[in-house]
């Protein structure tokens, strides 16, 4: 079972559905479309839609529609495919996307802190270990970081490039 998690906790009434051939959004749900289907609908003026970015997709294709997008889901099809980290960073830093970015697919507990640093702010979690640790409020991680990040620094100390979680 998939549960949606944000830093504030689990979300109980999330309306978003990733549409596939078998699954379509219902009347009280919102659609997350593949990139090509999203661009087709957004070009006709539709707004309030979500878009699914797969690892091989070019996120810069979203630039003309960035204000119309309500949610961007970045796909992690396997734990060893990290292209969605780059997609999230590009969306935040270069394209200026300020709304929700959701990780979908193989979301593991060890990667959640890194996903947060890249600008991902919600997670579709199915992994049992991740669900258990998130429900307990136990996130792994390192407190001090030396790279800039999509998230603002809480306290940069005396170095402009140091980030503290």
């Amino acid at each position: 079972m998939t549960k949606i998690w944000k830093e504030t906790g689990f979300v109980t009434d999330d309306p978003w559905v990733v549409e596939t051939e078998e699954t379509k959004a219902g009347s009280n749900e919102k659609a997350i479309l593949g990139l090509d289907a999203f661009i087709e609908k957004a070009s006709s003026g539709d707004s309030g839609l979500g878009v699914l970015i797969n690892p091989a997709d070019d996120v810069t294709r979203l630039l003309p529609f960035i204000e119309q997008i309500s949610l961007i889901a970045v796909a992690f099809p396997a734990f060893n495919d990290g292209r969605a980290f780059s997609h999230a960073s590009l969306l935040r830093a270069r394209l200026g996307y300020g709304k929700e970015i959701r990780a979908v697919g193989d979301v593991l507990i060890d990667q959640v802190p890194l996903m947060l640093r890249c600008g991902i702010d919600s997670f579709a979690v199915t992994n049992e270990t991740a669900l258990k640790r998130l429900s307990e409020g136990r996130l792994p991680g390192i407190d001090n970081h030396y790279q800039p990040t999509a998230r603002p620094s809480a306290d940069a100390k005396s170095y402009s490039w140091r980030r503290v979680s």
Side-chain angles (χ1 to χ4, degrees), residues 16-27:
W16 294 99
V17 174
V18 176
E19 286 200 346
T20 63
E21 292 291 325
E22 300 83 31
T23 307
K24 300 293 181 194
S27 60

Side-chain angles (χ1 to χ4, degrees), residues 13-161:
D13 56 349
D14 184 71
W16 294 99
V17 174
V18 176
E19 286 200 346
T20 63
E21 292 291 325
E22 300 83 31
T23 307
K24 300 293 181 194
S27 60
N28 293 332
E29 297 173 322
K30 296 181 180 182
I32 300 174
L33 306 171
L35 183 59
D36 291 331
F38 170 81
I39 290 174
E40 183 179 318
K41 283 206 173 211
S43 296
S44 66
D46 285 1
S47 62
L49 296 172
V51 60
L52 174 66
I53 301 298
N54 287 304
D57 289 342
D58 179 8
V59 295
T60 60
R61 291 178 62 198
L62 294 175
L63 189 56
F65 313 103
I66 206 79
E67 296 300 321
Q68 293 173 255
I69 306 170
S70 294
L71 177 136
I72 298 176
V74 290
F76 288 87
F79 78 95
N80 62 349
D81 190 341
R83 291 177 282 181
F85 287 103
S86 298
H87 291 323
S89 293
L90 286 169
L91 285 163
R92 294 289 191 215
R94 293 192 190 160
L95 301 181
Y97 184 72
K99 297 177 188 168
E100 185 174 345
I101 297 178
R102 176 173 294 174
V104 299
D106 198 9
V107 177
L108 303 177
I109 190 66
D110 294 341
Q111 296 174 330
V112 170
L114 302 172
M115 292 175 181
L116 286 166
R117 284 179 47 83
C118 290
I120 297 170
D121 47 17
S122 74
F123 306 85
V125 184
T126 56
N127 180 280
E128 289 299 320
T129 303
L131 287 168
K132 182 178 186 293
R133 296 268 308 271
L134 290 171
S135 67
E136 296 169 351
R138 295 176 43 213
L139 277 179
I142 299 169
D143 292 336
N144 295 313
H145 306 282
Y146 291 97
Q147 305 89 354
T149 180
R151 297 181 67 158
S153 174
D155 179 15
K157 303 273 185 207
S158 62
Y159 303 100
S160 63
W161 38 265

